[in-house]
Amino acid sequence: MGYNFKKVENRKIIIESPRLQGLKIKFLRRYIQLMEEDVTFVYLDETWVYQHGVPVRRWVHESDRRGMPAKIVMNEGRRFTILHAGGKFGFLENCLLFLDSNNDSRDYHKTMNGQLFRQWVETQLIPSVNFINGKVVIIMDNAPYHSVLAEQLPRLSWIKSKLKFWLAQKKIPFGDNLTKKQLWDIIKPLLPSTRKYEIDELLSKSNIEVLRLPPYHCHYNAIEIVWRFCKPYYNKHILKQSSKKSEIKHLWIEAMSKYTPEMWTSSVIHCENIIKDDWQRMMGNTSVKDIPPVIISLGESDSESDLSSDESDSISDIMQDDVLANRTLNVSMDPETSMNETQGNIREGQQLCVDDVEMCEWMNAENDIETIIVEVIDD
């Protein structure tokens, strides 16, 4: 009957929905357009380190497929969240934000918030970027604190009184006895086709463009490769030093100093090659000039329901644990590896290694990206 008795694992894979493909094409098109112009790309992202570090190597039994013993419990100490930015020129000066976690969560996203990020942009990022000649484009993901809306837009999940309050603020007439469905029918045509983000508008005042990564595509962000070098360096050397905050920060700065502008350039070129390859795979030999702008409708259908933050987190756990281990890049980011060897590996690799949590941001603003998850059956 066509059935085979096979071992079934609970791994999941992502199948891109048409909506996600549209966002991806939109990003690829704009990035390739900017590559042909005289612009400077600046890549920003957050990561984290632990007070006592994480061992680079451990004794692992050969039967452990993941190579990461789950039963080993370590006192990693406090977690420090790091925010920085850089490009082919290296790290931006005076742009490091080093935060001590004030909670017990292992999720570094919970240390950052929209207010902290905006303050960093205003006081550190913009002043540093102003020293760059020519047009600057910021590449960043869609983490919630990057994506605070300039105006909160109605959603179908809002309660009836909240929808009425929004209509009243906009001075739009409506009947007192209307159902929620009828109120939504009034609101839906009024929603803008694109969202406006607080940070985007702030940066645009300084003539800085923001280009947001498509969800689940952190491998387009060059700074992810930088973290893959700096974190092993930190973990390798922190065990030999005191774990005071000042010394932890000093060691992290030392780790970043080891990543030279030449290495940054190689990382950027690697990501740009992936971007061009993805465009070629999706669009063939079609020039970006021949493709009209991709418009992603943000209107919410009556049948759509909002994902809560809890649901978003559960999807994140599935993706980071089960999907990402299958993407690999044949590149060694061990600090002891020579740069020539590293560059060679980068050119040979096909995709970034995203086995670590810091390699991808899974929390997307408003959580409105459609994703289909299917099970994989191994032979």
Side-chain angles (χ1 to χ4, degrees):
M1 297 180 64
Y3 285 93
N4 291 320
F5 193 71
K6 297 181 177 181
K7 180 181 178 182
V8 179
E9 296 187 3
N10 292 324
R11 292 186 294 120
K12 309 293 189 299
I13 63 172
I14 298 175
I15 296 180
E16 293 180 347
S17 68
R19 183 181 181 85
L20 181 52
Q21 289 178 343
L23 290 169
K24 184 175 180 178
I25 292 172
K26 181 179 179 182
F27 171 86
L28 296 173
R29 178 180 183 272
R30 183 56 182 156
Y31 193 101
I32 294 173
Q33 283 179 333
L34 291 168
M35 286 176 63
E36 298 173 356
E37 302 176 14
D38 185 21
V39 304
T40 300
F41 289 105
V42 174
Y43 307 83
L44 69 82
D45 191 36
E46 297 82 8
T47 189
W48 78 94
V49 293
Y50 285 101
Q51 180 181 4
H52 304 308
V54 178
V56 178
R57 292 181 174 85
R58 296 176 181 172
W59 287 106
V60 180
H61 193 271
E62 60 182 7
S63 64
D64 194 330
R65 295 176 57 189
R66 294 291 299 274
M68 196 66 169
K71 295 183 179 180
I72 294 180
V73 179
M74 297 183 56
N75 179 20
E76 297 167 330
R78 299 183 66 83
R79 189 190 69 249
F80 296 89
T81 300
I82 297 157
L83 171 59
H84 214 322
K88 288 185 176 181
F89 47 83
F91 285 103
L92 282 171
E93 294 186 7
N94 304 318
C95 218
L96 172 64
L97 181 63
F98 198 86
L99 293 174
D100 189 353
S101 172
N102 55 3
N103 58 63
D104 296 329
S105 172
R106 291 177 61 88
D107 185 358
Y108 72 97
H109 292 290
K110 295 181 180 179
T111 303
M112 285 295 297
N113 57 54
Q115 183 179 357
L116 276 173
F117 184 70
R118 181 188 175 94
Q119 182 180 357
W120 175 79
V121 169
E122 289 179 321
T123 61
Q124 294 181 255
L125 180 62
I126 293 177
S128 298
V129 166
N130 286 338
F131 286 101
I132 300 175
N133 295 325
K135 182 177 179 178
V136 175
V137 179
I138 302 292
I139 306 295
M140 66 180 181
D141 58 42
N142 299 286
Y145 38 82
H146 296 168
S147 308
V148 177
L149 293 174
E151 178 188 3
Q152 189 68 29
L153 299 176
R155 299 180 67 84
L156 187 56
S157 61
W158 282 14
I159 61 175
K160 186 176 175 180
S161 60
K162 195 173 181 181
L163 295 176
K164 286 184 175 181
F165 181 74
W166 186 87
L167 287 169
Q169 278 189 319
K170 298 294 182 181
K171 298 181 179 179
I172 299 170
F174 61 92
D176 290 337
N177 297 324
L178 295 181
T179 65
K180 181 179 178 179
K181 170 69 166 57
Q182 292 171 326
L183 290 171
W184 183 251
D185 289 340
I186 297 174
I187 293 172
K188 187 176 178 180
L190 303 176
L191 297 177
S193 59
T194 58
R195 291 190 175 96
K196 294 182 180 180
Y197 297 106
E198 185 180 272
I199 292 299
D200 296 31
E201 295 189 349
L202 174 63
L203 289 168
S204 67
K205 294 177 182 178
S206 299
N207 297 318
I208 302 171
E209 180 179 341
V210 175
L211 182 57
R212 293 172 177 271
L213 296 165
Y216 319 119
H217 287 75
C218 60
H219 47 287
Y220 294 160
N221 194 347
I223 201 171
E224 301 287 3
I225 302 177
V226 180
W227 296 152
R228 290 287 293 173
F229 174 91
C230 294
K231 294 183 73 171
Y233 183 96
Y234 169 88
N235 289 327
K236 186 174 183 178
H237 292 83
I238 191 62
L239 300 176
K240 304 175 184 178
Q241 299 187 17
S242 170
S243 56
K244 294 180 180 179
K245 180 179 179 179
S246 59
E247 297 184 9
I248 292 172
K249 183 176 181 180
H250 176 76
L251 179 58
W252 179 256
I253 293 173
E254 179 183 317
M256 292 192 303
S257 69
K258 300 295 182 181
Y259 209 83
T260 65
E262 292 75 21
M263 297 167 74
W264 258 103
T265 300
S266 294
S267 300
V268 172
I269 292 174
H270 169 69
C271 291
E272 290 180 345
N273 287 337
I274 293 177
I275 289 171
K276 289 185 285 189
D277 289 345
D278 282 359
W279 176 266
Q280 175 75 20
R281 185 172 63 254
M282 296 184 71
M283 307 303 295
N285 295 321
T286 305
S287 170
V288 293
K289 298 178 182 179
D290 299 331
I291 303 295
V294 178
I295 299 175
I296 308 297
S297 175
L298 297 179
E300 194 168 19
S301 68
D302 299 335
S303 61
E304 287 178 322
S305 61
D306 298 303
L307 288 175
S308 68
S309 59
D310 291 338
E311 291 170 328
S312 175
D313 289 342
S314 64
I315 291 175
S316 304
D317 294 338
I318 291 172
M319 300 308 164
Q320 74 181 38
D321 289 339
D322 297 320
V323 180
L324 302 184
N326 298 321
R327 289 186 177 181
T328 58
L329 165 67
N330 298 323
V331 51
S332 169
M333 298 310 291
D334 193 311
E336 302 300 324
T337 303
S338 67
M339 189 54 200
N340 290 335
E341 182 182 351
T342 300
Q343 289 174 336
N345 287 332
I346 286 178
R347 286 192 293 269
E348 295 172 3
Q350 296 301 314
Q351 294 188 39
L352 283 177
C353 175
V354 287
D355 190 31
D356 292 331
V357 179
E358 73 270 25
M359 294 299 291
C360 278
E361 306 295 342
W362 300 112
M363 293 182 292
N364 302 295
E366 304 302 319
N367 300 306
D368 64 350
I369 305 304
E370 301 172 6
T371 303
I372 304 171
I373 304 174
V374 300
E375 291 187 356
V376 177
I377 301 178
D378 283 342
D379 292 334

